[in-house]
């Protein structure tokens, strides 16, 4: 049914594992009333299963198979993906402060939003691109500090590509990348 499919789409934005609170945030007020019965229906149909949550005092679910997640995600139009990735990153920045990988995860979702805008030949919101670059930059610096040069290079290159051309952030990223 369309209501259950919609919940799978919201879950697919977060990833293979998704949380009840993030689904509530992405779905909005109209879906909140039947959210739990719909999720229970998806569990009964073996589309998803319960999983230990990454966020305290929340419930988590895992797609029963990664192909279910991928097919659901691929069915979303790119414009919708861009919008949902941004909304998820915004929610995560407000609610995921306890996550050690907050910059890496939020940065990835913001980067996806920017890249989908580019693929649709739209100008990405410069504030969005800057936010993605800042998250990626912080993640890259942390990777360098833990002596993971491959991860640092990857994150810093991606941050550099996202940062506005003439910004001081782009120059700082360039210096960190050179180091």
């Amino acid at each position: 049914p369309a209501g259950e499919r919609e919940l799978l789409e919201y879950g697919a934005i977060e990833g293979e594992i998704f949380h009840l609170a993030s689904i509530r945030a992405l779905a909005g007020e109209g879906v909140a009333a039947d959210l739990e019965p719909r999720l229970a229906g998806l569990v009964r149909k073996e589309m998803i299963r319960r999983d230990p949550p990454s966020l305290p005092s929340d419930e988590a679910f895992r797609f029963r198979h990664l192909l279910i997640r991928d097919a659901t995600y691929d069915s979303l139009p790119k414009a919708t993906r861009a919008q949902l990735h941004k909304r998820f990153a915004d929610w995560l920045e407000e609610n995921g402060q306890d996550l050690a990988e907050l910059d890496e995860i939020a940065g990835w979702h913001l980067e996806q939003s920017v890249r989908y805008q580019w693929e649709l030949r739209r100008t990405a919101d410069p504030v969005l691109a800057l936010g993605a670059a800042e998250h990626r930059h912080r993640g890259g610096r942390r990777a360098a500090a833990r002596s993971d040069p491959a991860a640092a290079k990857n994150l810093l290159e991606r941050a550099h590509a996202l940062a506005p051309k003439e910004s001081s952030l782009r120059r700082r990223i360039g210096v960190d990348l050179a180091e």
Side-chain angles (χ1 to χ4, degrees):
E4 290 178 356
R5 181 178 180 84
E6 184 180 22
L7 294 183
L8 289 175
E9 291 169 351
Y10 296 140
I13 291 296
E14 185 173 350
E16 184 180 359
I17 298 172
F18 58 94
H19 293 81
L20 180 60
S22 69
I23 297 296
R24 271 199 185 99
L26 292 175
E29 298 296 321
V31 178
D34 2 344
L35 181 61
E36 292 185 33
R38 287 182 188 176
L39 287 169
L42 290 167
V43 170
R44 276 192 310 277
K45 293 174 183 173
E46 297 187 1
M47 300 292 282
I48 60 173
R49 63 177 182 239
R50 294 193 179 276
D51 205 68
S54 304
L55 302 171
S57 68
D58 199 358
E59 293 179 56
F61 299 88
R62 173 186 293 271
F63 281 91
R64 196 79 176 155
H65 197 285
L66 196 52
L67 290 175
I68 296 171
R69 186 263 175 202
D70 290 349
T72 303
Y73 185 82
D74 291 345
S75 71
L76 287 168
K78 288 181 180 182
T80 303
R81 290 183 211 171
Q83 179 185 39
L84 290 174
H85 277 295
K86 183 197 178 309
R87 284 176 39 201
F88 178 74
D90 291 345
W91 174 84
L92 191 61
E93 288 173 338
E94 290 178 22
N95 298 283
Q97 296 301 319
D98 295 336
L99 291 173
E101 321 79 18
L102 175 63
D103 284 317
E104 289 83 348
I105 298 170
W108 184 85
H109 284 281
L110 291 172
E111 179 182 13
Q112 294 308 302
S113 184
V114 169
R115 291 198 184 280
Y116 283 126
Q117 292 295 322
W118 289 344
E119 286 180 19
L120 292 168
R121 305 275 187 235
R122 296 179 183 163
T123 303
D125 177 2
V127 174
L128 182 67
L130 181 63
E134 288 171 340
H135 279 294
R136 288 302 204 182
H137 183 219
R138 285 192 297 266
R141 289 177 56 95
R142 263 198 310 282
R146 69 174 182 268
S147 298
D148 187 349
K153 179 179 182 276
N154 179 293
L155 290 166
L156 291 170
E157 284 177 344
R158 293 165 82 163
H160 194 263
L162 291 162
K165 297 278 186 232
E166 299 303 320
S167 69
S168 63
L169 175 62
R170 187 178 176 102
R171 288 188 292 277
R172 286 194 314 271
I173 295 167
V175 168
D176 288 336
L177 190 53
E179 289 177 353

